[in-house]
Amino acid sequence: MSREFVLSRIRNIGIAAHIDAGKTTLSEAMLFLCGKTHRFGEVDEGQATLDWMPQERERGITITDAATTIPWKEHTINLIDTPGHVDFTAEVERALRVVDGMIALFCAVGGVEAQSETVWRQADRHGVPRIAFVNKMDRVGADFFRVVEEMRRDLGTNPVPVVLPIGAEEAFTGLVDLLSMDAVFFRADEEGVETERAPIPRDIQAGAEVAREKLLEAVAEADDRFLELFLAGEVRLEELRAAIRRTTLAGKIVPILAGSAAKLKGVQRLLDAVVDFLPSPADFPLIRGTWEGQTIARAPSPEEPLSALIFKVQADRHVGKVYFVRVYSGVLRSGEPVLNGNRGNVERVGRLFRVHANERQPVEELWAGEVGALVGLKEACTGDTLCAPTAPVTLETMGFPTPVLDLALAPVRRTDADRLSRAMAALAAEDPTLHFRADPQTNELVASGMGELHLEIVVDRLRREFGVDVLTGAPQVAYRETVRQALEFEHKLVKQTGGHGQYAHIIFQVEPAAPGAGLEFESRVVSGRIPKEFIPAVRKGLAEAMNAGPHGFPVVDLRFILVDGSYHVVDSSEQAFRACAAQGLREALKKAGTFILEPIMHVEATVPVECVGAVVGDLASRRGKLGALESKGLFSVVTAWVPLAELFGYATVLRSLASGRGSFTMRFERYARIPESLVPKVSKGMLVYSG
């Protein structure tokens, strides 16, 4: 069997959806049906194989990506189960960066929900082909056709059913396969495993024929090769299957399937669709990266030079850091040297593994197209490229959302201060949306995360995994500052002590940068006015000063241009220029002034129709800007953009306004300037978030 043939039989896929749509249950069903596990793990009972963290099993939710490998019909499926809670959206982001295809899961009752849209847009951004699975068809209120229509309307996609459910709710007994035009019935005594194919029942034959015609028309509109066959009336099963695959890979259609993962209904047909319709690594002709400004192209073949992307880092108390990798080209071998294309250092690969949740199976090599893990690297992080030292390349890295909530931490025992810092550094290396810093005013350690649940999990992991008991303050809004106006400034550091003194002199400009830019640094120093070896020290000093602006909040979106300066042959040093830059920037920000920025949240409240007026009025009173108002049966969905600081106890208020029948989701949207009238309150810590 050739390597290319093996590559074509690999499927790297992710499962993504809104929370409680049934992602992990579906993953467990797939593991069971593929023979990977011998029992069907119940998520609600804390038995799910892929929810291996204690925090996941106790809460019945997925917190971190879990990877596994399963066999299906001579194919290998590398599966990544992702979280649905908005606090852990970074896990979805990194999974979508390395998978080739995705199963988008929708609840047959809830339909397209807030996080459904978020993960769909993430997949759009990464260009990931998708199939969709309408889950929980056996639940009261299940409506397959409503979900398909919501996908068309809310996601702007082209959903095309390839199956039709036979019945719904308790009467959900089977599927019509629109490709083969026969029925699949589930046997209750075998827990819903598909075992019986039969002719389509006469009472639904006409509807099935209409749906089949719509399927053929949708594929013909999207694929010229199939259009000729369709017009000639010569459509064969294999040709239809191939055309659906081509149009799915091109992003022109999204095949829709249905079932109930908890009852194992429709999951076998979904596994067939993964193999039939989603891409293999061989379907992407070239992987592109860069090196020294040049574009580098590699074929997804083990014969090419090595290129692999680290998409996840996991702290392990026994082996240190575990690096999860997707190999795009070449072969990653244990014991061989690799170049970190982002950092420029060469390291030797330790042990390699294939992964099944928290279990690791040692292997000697990982080929192009495979997903696995390794240990032994000393300096690497999420988004780094590992490549052959003789053929360097840097692949596109990943972007992650900005943390919006701060939590002050202090060790219960003073002797644990160093352990707390090391533990937070390990967790931050693992989670790109977790930041931590020392507050210069209080000397407390401040953790910044995506929400209350995110920070709650961090505190729990500190106690369980690292043995550090901590005291926590009330969660605080993660305010930021940015410079008001452009300014040119000059700062000189002159200190004379016994022996060598300290001398540094810089002239620079500061100005606002684009939102999300962070720190943009440019040096225009010429003729050696400042030696090149001191320039990096200037940048380090800036990063230090940006930890706290004039109002005490981290500074963001700043452009710094080093224009000129001078140095002393004896008294100048890296430390002197670092201190000079930090002092100079602090003084410049005071003179130029700063705006305070606050996180704005995208809020979706689902409430009974009769309660809409009260809910809209309440959101407006919270400085909310109202968006869409949509009707979903007896309920309405109110969309608004609301400052995080104004969402004090909103869950309790919404329950009261909606007579206990309201729910809401929120996610970070952007940072925006706070009204000038609130600046004094924010500066004095009077406007905080208490949950």
Side-chain angles (χ1 to χ4, degrees), residues 160-164 176-182 197 200 208 211-212 215-216 219 235-245 255-257 269 273 276-277:
V160 179
V162 294
V163 300
L164 287 183
V176 174
D177 189 330
L178 295 178
L179 276 71
S180 59
M181 283 304 282
D182 57 5
R197 284 189 176 261
I200 300 171
R212 159 88 171 188
L215 167 64
L216 297 178
V219 176
V235 176
R236 290 188 290 269
L237 177 60
E238 288 305 314
E239 292 166 341
L240 175 57
R241 185 179 290 121
I244 294 174
R245 177 181 176 81
I256 312 296
L257 298 102
R269 184 66 187 88
D276 291 341
F277 305 142

Side-chain angles (χ1 to χ4, degrees), residues 378-440:
K378 296 179 181 178
E379 186 182 355
C381 67
T382 299
D384 284 358
T385 299
L386 303 180
C387 56
T390 55
V393 67
T394 302
L395 303 177
E396 181 185 357
T397 187
M398 291 173 273
F400 296 99
T402 305
V404 297
L405 211 59
D406 290 345
L407 185 68
L409 303 173
V412 172
R413 296 176 294 275
R414 291 187 178 181
T415 53
D416 280 347
D418 288 341
R419 290 180 64 198
L420 175 59
S421 294
R422 289 195 298 270
M424 284 301 299
L427 291 177
E430 180 179 313
D431 183 352
T433 61
L434 175 65
H435 300 174
F436 75 100
R437 70 182 191 279
D439 189 312

Side-chain angles (χ1 to χ4, degrees), residues 15 90 106 126 144 182 254 296 298 312 339 375 430 494 505 539 543 545 612 643 648 664 674:
I15 302 179
F106 299 91
H126 289 286
F144 175 79
D182 57 5
V254 177
I296 308 287
R298 300 265 169 85
K312 181 179 175 68
L339 170 69
V375 296
E430 180 179 313
V494 181
H505 172 219
R539 183 162 191 159
V612 168
F648 292 113
F664 82 102
I674 68 167

Side-chain angles (χ1 to χ4, degrees), residues 461-483:
R461 292 187 65 189
L462 286 172
R463 290 170 177 154
R464 294 196 194 197
E465 297 177 28
F466 297 92
V468 181
D469 287 325
V470 294
L471 301 172
T472 61
Q476 306 282 312
V477 173
Y479 291 107
R480 298 290 183 260
E481 296 182 49
T482 192
V483 65

